[in-house]
Amino acid sequence: MSQTISTAPRPVLIDRYGRQINYVRLSITDRCDLRCVYCLSEGMTFLPRNQLLTLEEIARLGRCFSELGVTTLRITGGEPLVRRNAIWLFEQLGQLSAIHDLTLTTNGTQLSRYARSLKDAGVSRVNISLDSLRPERFRRITRIGDLDRTLAGIAAAVRTGFQRVKLNSVILKHRNHDEIIDLTRFAIEQGIDISFIEEMPLGTVSGHDRVDAYYPSDAIRHDLAQTFELLPTTEMTGGPSRYVRIAGTDTRIGFISPHSHNFCSNCNRVRVTAAGRLLLCLGQEHGVDLRRALRANPTDDERVRQTIVTAMELKPPGHEFALSSQPGLIRHMNMTGG
Ligand code: SAM
């Protein structure tokens, strides 16, 4: 039965396991101005322009998802803010009345320039990746990054007054696990949140072995509890993070634990790669080519929505990440849209 958007009750996306999908991550480029060691391989090649969705196509997809009950869009990449005219896209998505939460994941390098325009476009929350506060180490982890630039971006985001700013730190044993306390203190000083992420086995990495580098969320929590009073909280964002609060501060700490605490049973999200592939799971290959659906139906949004609705059948029960030196999946996070 086909759904008529204008008259029928608002349709929703529900998968075979009864999970409602109301959150979509849109990757708008696979390119990045950093080369984080756990994310990209050295000498990575990027997609040619004609394989990427245009910004107009991404805006159209955002609209289709919003008409299917999606309320949160997160724009990611690669580094989304290196895509030319990215602000135009935020402005388009910011006008979708069904989207209550327009959010961004960024490495912060461009935020000094764009934070104000992003806020004006309707971005509510910003996640900024930061794995070290030591300039040389920051450079080693990102291969080419300049810590001061990212810190300036974080300061700009805080000044701009988004509803919420959160740091994302991927913690690797012997690379940065000794900075958990410093990173948390920094978040507290800024009055923002921080999430600690276990490395996921996406793509081949050189330079470290993922098994050796594994630093579980429970170890991070244990380290934190030596210094801070951690208050349990039942707060959930519908996402993979489990949270605690730090007593006497406004800061929440999130733990994203793909290995130690599987987060799939409540999964409410899907992803679209920069090339327009709808991925039903971060850790599996189940997917559908939305670029083809968009280009075959340039004026017929209903066909695109139908393709999305049908794709929900493919959403697997979980990601099945295994802790292994070999990649679980060939695609890197910059392809997937982190
Ligand atoms: N360039 C933006 C940024 O740095 O936030 C957005 C894209 S990046 C792929 C999104 C997030 O994914 C970052 O926080 C990054 O640290 C994280 N990430 C990348 N590869 C990862 C991996 N293999 N395991 C866990 N997190 C990863």
Side-chain angles (χ1 to χ4, degrees):
M1 193 181 71
S2 74
Q3 292 156 322
T4 309
I5 299 303
S6 52
T7 55
R10 210 173 144 74
V12 289
L13 295 174
I14 302 208
D15 75 0
R16 283 182 299 158
Y17 304 94
R19 295 172 296 190
Q20 184 180 337
I21 308 308
N22 54 23
Y23 179 131
V24 177
R25 289 193 170 215
L26 297 169
S27 171
I28 66 169
T29 177
D30 60 333
R31 286 167 197 270
C32 190
D33 52 352
L34 299 182
R35 295 285 183 277
C36 298
V37 291
Y38 49 76
C39 186
L40 293 165
S41 62
E42 232 163 347
M44 187 98 188
T45 53
F46 298 104
L47 291 171
R49 179 172 267 278
N50 65 357
Q51 289 192 27
L52 297 180
L53 293 186
T54 64
L55 293 180
E56 289 78 4
E57 287 169 331
I58 300 172
R60 187 175 167 213
L61 265 189
R63 188 174 71 234
C64 289
F65 276 113
S66 78
E67 289 163 348
L68 290 168
V70 167
T71 54
T72 299
L73 293 178
R74 178 169 290 282
I75 304 305
T76 182
E79 173 46 45
L81 297 180
V82 301
R83 175 115 190 218
R84 193 181 305 170
N85 292 334
I87 297 298
W88 176 87
L89 176 66
F90 285 96
E91 287 165 354
Q92 303 306 304
L93 299 175
Q95 288 171 32
L96 297 171
S97 57
I99 299 299
H100 304 153
D101 215 8
L102 177 59
T103 66
L104 163 70
T105 301
T106 174
N107 61 28
T109 58
Q110 313 294 318
L111 276 177
S112 298
R113 183 166 170 210
Y114 291 127
R116 172 46 54 192
S117 312
L118 289 164
K119 174 96 179 353
D120 291 346
V123 171
S124 49
R125 295 184 292 130
V126 179
N127 288 356
I128 308 170
S129 302
L130 179 71
D131 299 330
S132 177
L133 289 162
R134 303 181 193 173
E136 271 178 35
R137 183 182 278 185
F138 182 87
R139 162 77 47 122
R140 266 204 306 281
I141 293 176
T142 60
R143 292 201 183 101
I144 49 176
D146 169 11
L147 176 64
D148 283 342
R149 195 175 164 121
T150 293
L151 293 181
I154 294 170
V158 170
R159 265 198 316 276
T160 303
F162 293 98
Q163 230 174 64
R164 193 149 237 154
V165 175
K166 178 165 79 82
L167 302 178
N168 276 339
S169 302
V170 176
I171 296 299
L172 304 178
K173 193 172 176 181
H174 302 313
R175 286 250 179 178
N176 64 347
H177 82 271
D178 54 348
E179 280 195 74
I180 291 164
I181 303 298
D182 287 350
L183 286 163
T184 305
R185 282 213 176 95
F186 176 72
I188 294 170
E189 282 160 21
Q190 305 295 318
I192 61 180
D193 296 333
I194 182 164
S195 280
F196 292 109
I197 306 174
E198 291 177 355
E199 187 188 14
M200 302 173 205
L202 296 173
T204 309
V205 292
S206 52
H208 71 276
D209 181 292
R210 282 189 162 134
V211 176
D212 295 343
Y214 178 51
Y215 201 73
S217 294
D218 287 346
I220 298 173
R221 200 182 172 120
H222 173 269
D223 294 352
L224 289 165
Q226 311 303 307
T227 303
F228 304 107
E229 187 187 347
L230 305 180
L231 305 175
T233 162
T234 51
E235 276 172 276
M236 295 290 291
T237 58
S241 272
R242 294 166 303 125
Y243 289 99
V244 294
R245 280 195 172 276
I246 306 181
T249 77
D250 293 331
T251 294
R252 292 187 313 177
I253 303 183
F255 300 96
I256 301 179
S257 323
H259 295 293
S260 57
H261 292 272
N262 179 304
F263 44 67
C264 304
S265 62
N266 298 320
C267 183
N268 64 345
R269 59 195 57 193
V270 294
R271 295 173 151 77
V272 181
T273 70
R277 188 159 178 80
L278 173 63
L279 292 173
L280 283 309
C281 173
L282 172 61
Q284 305 261 16
E285 291 295 5
H286 306 68
V288 164
D289 186 354
L290 290 183
R291 186 181 62 199
R292 183 161 5 141
L294 287 163
R295 293 184 184 172
N297 303 285
T299 56
D300 186 354
D301 283 359
E302 177 58 18
R303 294 292 285 272
V304 177
R305 283 193 296 264
Q306 256 332 313
T307 307
I308 295 171
V309 169
T310 309
M312 294 303 121
E313 290 291 307
L314 299 176
K315 190 166 168 64
H319 60 57
E320 296 167 12
F321 278 143
L323 189 58
S324 158
S325 303
Q326 301 306 314
L329 287 177
I330 306 297
R331 68 179 142 75
H332 286 87
M333 190 66 118
N334 73 309
M335 294 296 301
T336 309

